[in-house]
Every structure is written in C-alpha cells, then in structure tokens.
Amino acid sequence: MSDHRLQDAIDTLKSSGVRITPQRHAVLEFLLNAMTHPTADEIYKALESKFPNMSVATVYNNLRVFKDIGLVRELTYGDSSSRFDCNTSDHYHAICNNCGKIVDFHYPSLNEVESLAEQVTGFDVSHHRMEVYGTCSKCQSEKAH
Amino acid sequence: MSDHRLQDAIDTLKSSGVRITPQRHAVLEFLLNAMTHPTADEIYKALESKFPNMSVATVYNNLRVFKDIGLVRELTYGDSSSRFDCNTSDHYHAICNNCGKIVDFHYPSLNEVESLAEQVTGFDVSHHRMEVYGTCSKCQSEKAH
DNA sequence: ACACTAATTGTAAGCATTCTAATGTAATAA
DNA sequence: TTATTACATTAGAATGCTTACAATTAGTGT
C-alpha cells in the first residue's frame, strides 16, 4: 500500500536529480508510514538504531529537500519544534490543546475564502492553511474524572 | 479612537489583578497602535528609546500575561519568531510568501468547519485558525518588471 | 571502475525564548 | 505613614531547535 507511495516519492526525487541515499530513503519511508506528524527529533530518534552514525543535520537537510520538492509539508504550531506531514492531499488538522495530539480531517476545500481574500487584499493567493483547536476525546474523558 | 481600546484593555488587566506598570502600559499601547503584527524583538527595539533599561524578558513576560488573559493572540508562522496580534475580533490573515507582509481580512466565521471537525474527530473544538498565503500586490508589481 | 558532485557527519554557531536570582516597586493593612 | 507582602523588572545565563561549516564519504552516469 505505502510501497506505492514510497516508489512514487522516490521517482519524484530522482527526476529532480536528488540522490537516493540509505538515510534519505529511511527518513522518507518513516514519514510515509508514520501515522503521526513527527518532529525532526522524533525521526532522528526513531532511526538511530538503524543508522547509529546518522547526524541530526541529515534529518533536517532531507526534510528541507522533501519540502522544497513538495513531498512533505512543514507544520508550525505554537510549540517549539516543527512537525512534518507527508500527506500532501488536501486535508486539515485538529489539534488538542491538552496533549498536542493531531488528527487529520477532510473538508471541502475553502476556495471561496481564497477568492474573497484575493478581492479584499489584492493578494495573488496560492494556498491556505486551517486548523481547529480543542480537546481530543481521550482528554475529554480524562477530565471527566 | 485607540484610547478607548487601551482603556478597556487596562480595565481588563486590573480586574484580573494585574498591575499596570509603565513597561506593561507601553507594550500594550504599542501593540494596540501597531498596524503590523510585531515580533517580541520589534516591540523591544521600538520601546528601548523610551525604556533604555527594559529587559527583553519583560516584553516576553508581558506578552504572556496579555495572551493568558485573552488580550492578544500569538501567531506562529513558518519563520523563526512569533508575532503578536491584539486585534481579538474575528478576522483572518493573508501572508505574503515573498516579503512576509501580513494583511487582515474579514470573512464569516467558519462555524461549519468546527462542527464538522467535532463530528469527525470527536474533539471538543474551542476555536480555529486560518490563513491564506500568496503574493501581495506590491510584490506582484515588482515581479512584473 | 572512474570521476564528478552531491550528501553525510560532527561540531560549532545562531537565534528565539525561558529561567533564575537579585532588586525594585505597587498595593494593602496596621 | 510605615511595614508588609506579593508581584514586576532586570541582566545574564541557560535551553532547545535549527542551520552553517569544513572535511569526509558515497551515489550516479559514463
């Protein structure tokens, strides 16, 4: 299932002239299989058993490469470190104020907002971002006690 | 005009048991009059002629106080430092990919999104955030040349 | 296999933000 | 008014994330 997405991503990289190194492959594979939206450090820690000599810089370098090519999105919330999301299909995020959990959800794209913003601000709008914040179901039930 | 908002803000602070110090007053006043969404450092630099001995920590401390009380919102974008917005009325932001300019715009609140997200994710949603990204009119005309 | 060039590594450096301990100051009650 | 108390400010150190750098290593096309 994700083999397909992985192969597609590798093809995209190759056609951009990017070399496929073992570390790069591992970071990409980890991101594609991740159910969460990991930080650079989480990726680094997850791969250090397989690549004991890998540098944090390598993780950051590769994330930047993936981002520039459009394979991953960088998510910046209030907390200190960025998170990375390789799901490039249109979706939004719900973020728990209590535990930080991030859940994806789908919603028809807000094209109207973009076009209204263009009229009002004079911008040439390329994309938008939206998140909802609240309490996840787990934290809700824990608070009930 | 902004005297009114300033006085309201001060009243809110007082009723929360927060003391009005000269530095605090200055940070608040600067934010209320700012047409932009300044960073902590921009506030610090803007006030250093009036308060040569003021510490950066004071700016951060006061911004946190204002934020906790709900007088300002912290905006975290991709760039390194947070920006602060004292316009608590419902509005959204358009951000220029080229020069970083931030322009406010109004749009009917996206309540539907919040309620759909609640159904799909099981979250108890408190609020949402949205931005559109693109090229501002100034950068558009500069690129034309 | 060779050569070319990009990628990785380890560490240092940069930057925004927070922490700490000492000092200062506003508000309150005696 | 004065003493007390709790909160604010200050300066600088410390933290944590991210990037820069120079040297080494290793893909890739021929």
Side-chain angles (χ1 to χ4, degrees), chain A residues 64-128:
Chain A
R64 180 174 4 173
V65 169
F66 300 158
K67 206 175 60 174
D68 289 347
I69 289 185
L71 288 176
V72 310
R73 287 195 291 171
E74 183 174 0
L75 312 173
T76 56
Y77 303 131
D79 55 349
S80 46
S81 45
S82 287
R83 302 185 160 275
F84 296 88
D85 183 359
C86 65
N87 185 349
T88 52
S89 72
D90 272 355
H91 69 281
Y92 301 105
H93 294 123
I95 299 160
C96 182
N97 292 321
N98 195 244
C99 69
K101 186 181 180 183
I102 302 172
V103 175
D104 295 356
F105 72 94
H106 288 269
Y107 189 83
S109 187
L110 299 164
N111 293 322
E112 305 162 30
V113 182
E114 291 197 359
S115 54
L116 179 128
E118 287 193 334
Q119 292 169 34
V120 176
T121 64
F123 271 53
D124 180 19
V125 172
S126 60
H127 64 288
H128 67 271

Coordinates of all heavy atoms in Angstrom, one line a residue, chain A residues 64-128:
Chain A
R64 N 14.3 19.3 4.4 CA 14.2 20.5 3.6 C 14.1 20.1 2.1 O 13.3 20.7 1.3 CB 15.4 21.4 3.8 CG 15.3 22.6 2.9 CD 16.4 23.6 3.2 NE 17.4 23.1 4.2 CZ 18.5 23.8 4.5 NH1 18.8 24.9 3.9 NH2 19.4 23.3 5.3
V65 N 14.9 19.1 1.7 CA 14.8 18.7 0.3 C 13.4 18.2 0.0 O 12.8 18.6 -1.1 CB 15.8 17.5 0.1 CG1 15.5 16.9 -1.3 CG2 17.2 18.0 0.1
F66 N 12.8 17.4 0.8 CA 11.5 16.9 0.6 C 10.4 18.0 0.5 O 9.5 18.0 -0.3 CB 11.0 15.9 1.7 CG 11.9 14.7 1.8 CD1 12.0 14.0 3.0 CD2 12.7 14.3 0.7 CE1 12.8 12.9 3.1 CE2 13.5 13.2 0.8 CZ 13.6 12.5 2.0
K67 N 10.7 19.0 1.4 CA 9.7 20.1 1.5 C 9.8 21.0 0.2 O 8.8 21.4 -0.4 CB 10.1 21.0 2.7 CG 9.0 21.8 3.2 CD 9.4 22.5 4.5 CE 10.5 23.5 4.3 NZ 10.9 24.3 5.5
D68 N 11.1 21.2 -0.3 CA 11.3 22.0 -1.5 C 10.6 21.4 -2.7 O 10.1 22.1 -3.6 CB 12.7 22.3 -1.7 CG 13.4 23.2 -0.7 OD1 12.6 23.9 0.0 OD2 14.6 23.3 -0.6
I69 N 10.7 20.1 -2.7 CA 10.1 19.4 -3.9 C 8.6 19.2 -3.7 O 7.9 19.0 -4.7 CB 10.8 18.0 -4.0 CG1 12.3 18.2 -4.5 CG2 10.1 17.1 -4.9 CD1 13.0 17.0 -4.8
G70 N 8.1 19.4 -2.5 CA 6.7 19.3 -2.3 C 6.2 18.0 -1.8 O 5.0 17.7 -1.9
L71 N 7.1 17.1 -1.4 CA 6.7 15.8 -0.9 C 6.2 15.9 0.6 O 5.4 15.1 1.0 CB 7.9 14.8 -0.9 CG 8.3 14.4 -2.3 CD1 9.5 13.5 -2.2 CD2 7.2 13.6 -3.0
V72 N 6.6 16.9 1.3 CA 6.1 17.0 2.7 C 5.8 18.4 3.0 O 6.2 19.4 2.3 CB 7.2 16.5 3.8 CG1 7.7 15.1 3.4 CG2 8.3 17.5 3.9
R73 N 4.9 18.6 4.0 CA 4.6 19.9 4.5 C 5.1 20.1 5.9 O 5.2 19.2 6.7 CB 3.1 20.1 4.5 CG 2.4 20.2 3.2 CD 1.0 20.7 3.3 NE 0.1 19.7 3.9 CZ -1.1 20.0 4.2 NH1 -1.6 21.2 4.1 NH2 -1.9 19.0 4.8
E74 N 5.6 21.3 6.1 CA 6.1 21.7 7.5 C 4.9 22.3 8.2 O 4.3 23.3 7.8 CB 7.3 22.6 7.4 CG 7.9 22.9 8.7 CD 9.1 23.7 8.7 OE1 9.6 24.0 7.5 OE2 9.7 24.0 9.7
L75 N 4.6 21.8 9.4 CA 3.6 22.4 10.2 C 4.2 23.1 11.4 O 4.9 22.5 12.2 CB 2.7 21.2 10.7 CG 2.2 20.2 9.7 CD1 1.4 19.1 10.4 CD2 1.3 20.9 8.7
T76 N 3.9 24.4 11.6 CA 4.4 25.1 12.7 C 3.3 25.6 13.6 O 2.4 26.4 13.2 CB 5.2 26.4 12.2 OG1 4.3 27.1 11.4 CG2 6.4 26.0 11.4
Y77 N 3.3 25.0 14.8 CA 2.2 25.4 15.7 C 2.9 26.2 16.8 O 4.1 26.6 16.7 CB 1.6 24.1 16.3 CG 1.0 23.3 15.2 CD1 1.2 21.9 15.2 CD2 0.2 23.8 14.3 CE1 0.7 21.1 14.2 CE2 -0.4 23.1 13.3 CZ -0.1 21.7 13.2 OH -0.7 21.0 12.2
G78 N 2.2 26.4 17.9 CA 2.8 27.2 19.0 C 4.0 26.6 19.6 O 4.9 27.3 20.1
D79 N 4.1 25.3 19.6 CA 5.2 24.7 20.4 C 6.5 24.9 19.7 O 6.6 25.3 18.5 CB 4.9 23.2 20.6 CG 4.6 22.4 19.4 OD1 4.4 23.1 18.3 OD2 4.6 21.2 19.4
S80 N 7.6 24.5 20.3 CA 8.9 24.9 19.9 C 9.3 24.3 18.6 O 10.0 24.9 17.8 CB 9.9 24.5 21.0 OG 9.7 23.2 21.4
S81 N 8.9 23.1 18.3 CA 9.5 22.4 17.1 C 8.5 22.2 16.0 O 7.3 21.9 16.2 CB 10.2 21.1 17.5 OG 9.4 20.4 18.4
S82 N 9.0 22.2 14.8 CA 8.1 21.9 13.6 C 7.8 20.5 13.5 O 8.5 19.6 14.0 CB 8.9 22.3 12.3 OG 9.0 23.7 12.2
R83 N 6.6 20.2 12.9 CA 6.2 18.9 12.6 C 6.1 18.7 11.1 O 6.0 19.7 10.4 CB 4.9 18.6 13.3 CG 5.0 18.8 14.7 CD 3.7 18.4 15.5 NE 4.1 18.2 16.9 CZ 4.5 17.0 17.4 NH1 4.7 16.0 16.6 NH2 4.8 16.9 18.6
F84 N 6.2 17.5 10.6 CA 6.3 17.2 9.2 C 5.2 16.2 8.8 O 5.0 15.2 9.5 CB 7.7 16.8 8.8 CG 8.7 17.8 9.1 CD1 9.3 17.9 10.3 CD2 9.0 18.7 8.1 CE1 10.3 18.9 10.5 CE2 10.0 19.8 8.3 CZ 10.6 19.8 9.5
D85 N 4.6 16.5 7.7 CA 3.4 15.8 7.3 C 3.6 15.4 5.8 O 3.7 16.3 5.0 CB 2.2 16.7 7.4 CG 0.9 16.0 7.0 OD1 1.0 14.8 6.6 OD2 -0.2 16.6 7.2
C86 N 3.7 14.2 5.5 CA 3.9 13.8 4.1 C 2.6 13.5 3.4 O 2.6 13.1 2.2 CB 4.8 12.5 4.0 SG 4.0 11.1 4.7
N87 N 1.5 13.7 4.0 CA 0.2 13.6 3.4 C -0.1 14.9 2.6 O -0.5 15.9 3.2 CB -0.9 13.3 4.4 CG -2.2 13.0 3.7 OD1 -2.4 13.3 2.5 ND2 -3.2 12.6 4.5
T88 N 0.2 14.9 1.3 CA 0.0 16.1 0.6 C -1.4 16.3 0.0 O -1.6 17.3 -0.6 CB 1.1 16.2 -0.6 OG1 0.9 14.9 -1.3 CG2 2.5 16.3 0.0
S89 N -2.2 15.3 0.2 CA -3.6 15.5 -0.2 C -4.3 16.6 0.7 O -3.9 16.8 1.8 CB -4.4 14.2 -0.1 OG -4.6 13.9 1.2
D90 N -5.3 17.2 0.1 CA -5.9 18.3 0.8 C -6.6 17.8 2.1 O -7.5 17.0 2.0 CB -7.0 19.0 -0.1 CG -6.3 20.1 -0.9 OD1 -5.1 20.3 -0.7 OD2 -7.0 20.7 -1.7
H91 N -6.2 18.2 3.2 CA -6.8 17.9 4.5 C -6.4 18.9 5.5 O -5.5 19.7 5.3 CB -6.4 16.5 4.9 CG -5.0 16.4 5.4 ND1 -4.0 16.3 4.5 CD2 -4.4 16.4 6.6 CE1 -2.8 16.2 5.1 NE2 -3.1 16.3 6.4
Y92 N -7.2 18.9 6.6 CA -6.9 19.9 7.7 C -6.6 19.1 9.0 O -6.6 17.9 9.0 CB -8.1 20.8 7.9 CG -8.5 21.5 6.6 CD1 -9.6 21.2 5.8 CD2 -7.8 22.6 6.2 CE1 -9.9 21.9 4.7 CE2 -8.1 23.3 5.1 CZ -9.2 23.0 4.3 OH -9.5 23.7 3.2
H93 N -6.2 19.9 10.0 CA -5.8 19.3 11.2 C -6.6 19.8 12.4 O -6.9 20.9 12.5 CB -4.3 19.6 11.5 CG -3.4 18.9 10.5 ND1 -2.5 19.7 9.8 CD2 -3.2 17.6 10.1 CE1 -1.8 18.8 8.9 NE2 -2.3 17.6 9.1
A94 N -6.9 18.8 13.3 CA -7.5 19.2 14.6 C -6.4 18.9 15.7 O -5.8 17.8 15.7 CB -8.7 18.3 14.9
I95 N -6.2 19.9 16.5 CA -5.0 19.8 17.4 C -5.6 19.9 18.9 O -6.3 20.8 19.2 CB -4.0 21.0 17.2 CG1 -3.5 20.8 15.7 CG2 -2.9 21.0 18.2 CD1 -2.9 22.1 15.2
C96 N -5.1 19.0 19.7 CA -5.6 19.0 21.1 C -4.8 20.0 21.9 O -3.6 20.0 22.0 CB -5.5 17.6 21.7 SG -6.1 17.5 23.4
N97 N -5.5 20.9 22.6 CA -4.9 21.9 23.4 C -4.2 21.3 24.6 O -3.3 21.9 25.2 CB -5.9 22.9 23.9 CG -6.5 23.8 22.8 OD1 -5.8 24.2 21.9 ND2 -7.8 24.0 22.9
N98 N -4.7 20.1 25.0 CA -4.2 19.5 26.2 C -3.0 18.6 26.0 O -1.9 18.7 26.7 CB -5.3 18.7 26.8 CG -5.1 18.3 28.3 OD1 -4.9 17.1 28.6 ND2 -5.0 19.3 29.1
C99 N -3.1 17.7 25.0 CA -2.0 16.7 24.9 C -1.2 16.9 23.6 O -0.2 16.2 23.3 CB -2.5 15.3 24.9 SG -3.6 14.8 23.5
G100 N -1.7 17.8 22.7 CA -0.9 18.1 21.5 C -1.2 17.1 20.3 O -0.6 17.3 19.3
K101 N -2.1 16.2 20.6 CA -2.4 15.2 19.5 C -2.9 15.9 18.3 O -3.7 16.9 18.4 CB -3.5 14.2 20.1 CG -3.8 13.1 19.1 CD -4.9 12.2 19.8 CE -5.2 11.0 18.9 NZ -6.3 10.2 19.5
I102 N -2.6 15.4 17.1 CA -3.0 16.0 15.9 C -3.8 14.9 15.1 O -3.3 13.8 14.9 CB -1.8 16.4 15.0 CG1 -1.0 17.4 15.8 CG2 -2.3 17.0 13.7 CD1 0.3 17.8 15.1
V103 N -5.0 15.3 14.7 CA -5.9 14.4 13.9 C -6.2 15.0 12.6 O -6.6 16.2 12.6 CB -7.1 14.0 14.7 CG1 -8.1 13.2 13.9 CG2 -6.8 13.3 16.0
D104 N -6.1 14.2 11.5 CA -6.4 14.8 10.2 C -8.0 14.7 10.0 O -8.6 13.8 10.5 CB -5.8 13.9 9.1 CG -4.3 14.0 9.1 OD1 -3.7 14.8 9.9 OD2 -3.7 13.2 8.4
F105 N -8.5 15.6 9.3 CA -9.9 15.5 8.8 C -10.0 16.2 7.5 O -9.3 17.1 7.1 CB -10.8 16.0 9.9 CG -10.9 17.5 10.0 CD1 -11.8 18.3 9.3 CD2 -10.0 18.2 10.8 CE1 -11.8 19.7 9.4 CE2 -10.0 19.6 11.0 CZ -10.9 20.3 10.3
H106 N -11.0 15.7 6.8 CA -11.3 16.2 5.4 C -12.4 17.2 5.4 O -13.3 17.1 6.2 CB -11.5 15.1 4.5 CG -10.3 14.3 4.2 ND1 -9.5 14.6 3.1 CD2 -9.8 13.3 4.8 CE1 -8.5 13.8 3.1 NE2 -8.6 12.9 4.1
Y107 N -12.4 18.2 4.5 CA -13.4 19.2 4.4 C -13.3 19.7 3.0 O -12.2 19.9 2.5 CB -13.2 20.3 5.4 CG -14.4 21.2 5.5 CD1 -15.5 20.9 6.3 CD2 -14.3 22.4 4.8 CE1 -16.5 21.8 6.4 CE2 -15.4 23.3 4.9 CZ -16.5 23.0 5.7 OH -17.5 23.9 5.8
P108 N -14.4 20.0 2.4 CA -14.3 20.6 1.0 C -13.4 21.8 1.0 O -13.5 22.6 1.9 CB -15.8 20.9 0.7 CG -16.6 20.6 1.8 CD -15.8 19.8 2.8
S109 N -12.5 21.9 0.1 CA -11.5 23.0 0.1 C -12.2 24.3 0.1 O -13.2 24.6 -0.5 CB -10.7 22.8 -1.2 OG -9.6 23.8 -1.1
L110 N -11.6 25.2 0.8 CA -12.2 26.5 1.1 C -11.8 27.5 0.0 O -11.2 28.5 0.2 CB -11.8 27.1 2.4 CG -12.2 26.2 3.6 CD1 -11.4 26.6 4.9 CD2 -13.7 26.4 3.9
N111 N -12.2 27.2 -1.3 CA -11.9 28.1 -2.4 C -12.5 29.4 -2.3 O -11.9 30.4 -2.7 CB -12.3 27.4 -3.7 CG -11.5 26.1 -4.0 OD1 -10.3 26.1 -3.7 ND2 -12.2 25.1 -4.5
E112 N -13.7 29.5 -1.7 CA -14.4 30.8 -1.6 C -13.5 31.8 -0.8 O -13.4 32.9 -1.1 CB -15.7 30.6 -0.9 CG -16.7 29.7 -1.5 CD -17.8 29.3 -0.5 OE1 -18.1 30.1 0.3 OE2 -18.2 28.1 -0.6
V113 N -13.0 31.2 0.3 CA -12.2 32.1 1.2 C -11.0 32.6 0.4 O -10.7 33.8 0.5 CB -11.6 31.3 2.4 CG1 -10.9 32.2 3.3 CG2 -12.8 30.6 3.1
E114 N -10.4 31.8 -0.4 CA -9.2 32.3 -1.2 C -9.6 33.4 -2.1 O -8.9 34.4 -2.2 CB -8.6 31.1 -1.9 CG -7.9 30.1 -1.0 CD -6.9 29.2 -1.8 OE1 -6.8 29.3 -3.0 OE2 -6.3 28.3 -1.1
S115 N -10.7 33.2 -2.8 CA -11.1 34.2 -3.8 C -11.6 35.5 -3.2 O -11.3 36.6 -3.6 CB -12.2 33.6 -4.8 OG -13.3 33.1 -4.1
L116 N -12.3 35.3 -2.0 CA -12.6 36.6 -1.3 C -11.4 37.3 -0.8 O -11.3 38.5 -0.9 CB -13.6 36.3 -0.1 CG -13.9 37.5 0.6 CD1 -15.5 37.6 0.8 CD2 -13.3 37.6 2.0
A117 N -10.5 36.5 -0.3 CA -9.2 37.2 0.2 C -8.5 37.9 -0.9 O -8.0 39.0 -0.7 CB -8.3 36.1 0.8
E118 N -8.5 37.3 -2.1 CA -7.9 38.0 -3.2 C -8.5 39.3 -3.5 O -7.8 40.3 -3.8 CB -7.9 37.1 -4.5 CG -7.0 35.8 -4.4 CD -6.8 35.1 -5.7 OE1 -7.8 35.2 -6.5 OE2 -5.8 34.5 -5.9
Q119 N -9.8 39.3 -3.5 CA -10.5 40.6 -3.8 C -10.3 41.6 -2.8 O -10.0 42.8 -3.1 CB -12.1 40.3 -3.9 CG -12.5 39.5 -5.1 CD -13.9 39.0 -4.9 OE1 -14.8 39.8 -4.4 NE2 -14.2 37.8 -5.3
V120 N -10.3 41.2 -1.5 CA -10.2 42.2 -0.4 C -8.8 42.7 -0.2 O -8.5 43.9 0.1 CB -10.7 41.6 0.9 CG1 -10.5 42.5 2.1 CG2 -12.2 41.2 0.8
T121 N -7.8 41.8 -0.3 CA -6.4 42.1 0.0 C -5.6 42.5 -1.2 O -4.5 43.0 -1.1 CB -5.7 41.0 0.8 OG1 -5.6 39.8 -0.1 CG2 -6.5 40.6 2.0
G122 N -6.0 42.1 -2.4 CA -5.2 42.3 -3.6 C -4.1 41.3 -3.7 O -3.2 41.4 -4.6
F123 N -4.1 40.3 -2.9 CA -3.1 39.2 -3.0 C -3.4 38.3 -4.2 O -4.5 38.2 -4.6 CB -3.1 38.4 -1.7 CG -2.2 38.8 -0.6 CD1 -2.3 40.1 -0.1 CD2 -1.3 38.0 0.0 CE1 -1.5 40.6 0.9 CE2 -0.5 38.4 1.0 CZ -0.6 39.7 1.5
D124 N -2.3 37.7 -4.7 CA -2.5 36.5 -5.6 C -2.3 35.3 -4.7 O -1.2 34.9 -4.4 CB -1.4 36.6 -6.7 CG -1.5 35.4 -7.6 OD1 -2.6 34.8 -7.7 OD2 -0.5 35.2 -8.4
V125 N -3.4 34.7 -4.3 CA -3.3 33.6 -3.3 C -2.9 32.3 -3.9 O -3.5 31.9 -4.9 CB -4.7 33.5 -2.6 CG1 -4.7 32.3 -1.7 CG2 -5.0 34.8 -1.8
S126 N -2.0 31.6 -3.3 CA -1.5 30.3 -3.8 C -2.1 29.2 -3.0 O -2.4 28.1 -3.5 CB 0.0 30.2 -3.7 OG 0.5 30.4 -2.4
H127 N -2.3 29.3 -1.7 CA -2.8 28.2 -0.9 C -3.3 28.8 0.5 O -3.1 30.0 0.8 CB -1.8 27.1 -0.7 CG -0.6 27.6 0.1 ND1 0.4 28.4 -0.4 CD2 -0.2 27.3 1.4 CE1 1.3 28.6 0.5 NE2 1.0 27.9 1.6
H128 N -3.9 27.9 1.3 CA -4.3 28.4 2.6 C -4.0 27.3 3.6 O -3.7 26.2 3.2 CB -5.8 28.7 2.6 CG -6.7 27.6 2.4 ND1 -7.1 27.2 1.1 CD2 -7.3 26.7 3.3 CE1 -7.9 26.1 1.2 NE2 -8.0 25.8 2.5

